[in-house]
Amino acid sequence: MPKASSNPTQRPRKRPSTTTPERSSGRDAVERILAMLVVVFGGIAVVGFAATLAHVAFRDGNAFFAGIAWQYAYWLPLVALPIMIVCVVVLVIMGARGKARRN
């Protein structure tokens, strides 16, 4: 069996033990919330697109898709996409300001 290398770059370093968790700032919490909102509003928009397509495709042949609620499904993407875009812009601005402040 070959010997282990004596090169220190090929041996894994011991990681320092962290007993106290790092405190997260309010900025980190807001960024996490904005990231979750982007995903949620993106999902709502996709569901709205799918519901609109289902309503248009099946409204004449199926009584379930001819209901009133399906007629308003096209509003989901029209509302969710602009809110999602605003959240993305705010998230990018907050990230850039935080990075500039650190540097």
Side-chain angles (χ1 to χ4, degrees):
M1 178 175 275
K3 283 185 156 184
S5 174
S6 61
N7 186 349
T9 60
Q10 293 180 355
R11 281 186 264 147
R13 292 183 186 168
K14 290 186 178 179
R15 294 184 183 178
S17 63
T18 56
T19 56
T20 59
E22 294 182 20
R23 298 180 92 192
S24 63
S25 66
R27 177 183 300 275
D28 292 339
V30 172
E31 286 180 353
R32 262 186 260 117
I33 290 170
L34 283 172
M36 284 188 268
L37 286 176
V38 167
V39 172
V40 167
F41 285 125
I44 289 172
V46 169
V47 168
F49 283 128
T52 301
L53 291 174
H55 170 68
V56 169
F58 302 118
R59 66 179 166 200
D60 295 332
N62 192 340
F64 176 72
F65 289 106
I68 294 174
W70 290 94
Q71 295 174 5
Y72 296 107
Y74 71 94
W75 283 98
L76 288 175
L78 291 176
V79 173
L81 282 176
I83 295 173
M84 184 185 80
I85 291 170
V86 168
C87 288
V88 167
V89 169
V90 171
L91 187 61
V92 167
I93 290 171
M94 284 184 67
R97 283 185 65 203
K99 191 172 183 179
R101 190 172 286 166
R102 274 184 255 129
N103 293 339

